[in-house]
Amino acid sequence: FTLIEIMVVLVIIAIMTALIAPQIIGRVDEARVTAAKQDIRTLGTALDFYKMDNFRYPTTDQGLKALIEKPDDPTLRNWRAGGYLKASSVPKDPWGNDYRYLQPGSKGGDYDLYSLGSDGETGGEDADADIGSWNLE
């Protein structure tokens, strides 16, 4: 190979990388948002099973930990042995933060279960937007 041929191949690779990389990077944020929505649906299902067994949702103080460890509450007589999640811990959101849980919910539901998105702050747009049980599509 001559130096010119090698340079032409490198230029072609650089152009392809410049065109493809932004599309792939944008997909990572979309995938994380989708994963957060799926986690919220899964946790919501576990919360519903908790309510079916115990006639109420966990309190805000008990939090999502009540899905894996029985809360210190003598009124809970039907708590399922082994908990309501297969995992031994409550999952973190795709950005490594804890999911937030409020009961009763402030958005019109029985509870609010949400992630603050990639920025970890209330509000935002796109990947920074809050993803909650009230806005799953």
Side-chain angles (χ1 to χ4, degrees):
F1 293 105
T2 66
L3 181 61
I4 293 176
E5 290 172 328
I6 293 173
M7 294 298 289
V8 168
V9 169
L10 289 175
V11 167
I12 291 171
I13 291 172
I15 290 171
M16 290 178 65
T17 302
L19 294 174
I20 295 171
Q23 294 176 2
I24 293 172
I25 291 171
R27 299 287 184 196
V28 171
D29 286 338
E30 286 179 33
R32 286 185 176 154
V33 168
T34 301
K37 288 179 179 181
Q38 186 58 43
D39 284 350
I40 290 169
R41 285 185 188 99
T42 300
L43 290 169
T45 300
L47 286 166
D48 291 340
F49 281 123
Y50 180 99
K51 182 182 180 186
M52 282 193 288
D53 289 346
N54 300 292
F55 309 107
R56 61 182 172 88
Y57 290 106
T59 65
T60 299
D61 291 337
Q62 292 169 337
L64 296 174
K65 192 173 183 178
L67 298 175
I68 55 170
E69 292 179 14
K70 184 177 181 182
D72 187 23
D73 184 347
T75 64
L76 298 177
R77 293 186 213 120
N78 298 322
W79 192 85
R80 182 182 302 170
Y84 296 87
L85 296 174
K86 289 182 181 180
S88 61
S89 63
V90 178
K92 301 240 184 228
D93 73 9
W95 300 276
N97 302 312
D98 291 328
Y99 283 101
R100 310 280 176 112
Y101 174 74
L102 295 173
Q103 197 282 326
S106 63
K107 304 284 185 182
D110 291 322
Y111 59 84
D112 290 345
L113 177 59
Y114 60 100
S115 167
L116 295 176
S118 66
D119 64 354
E121 297 179 9
T122 303
E125 295 180 6
D126 300 324
D128 293 339
D130 297 347
I131 304 159
S133 53
W134 62 88
N135 67 357
L136 297 178
E137 297 154 9

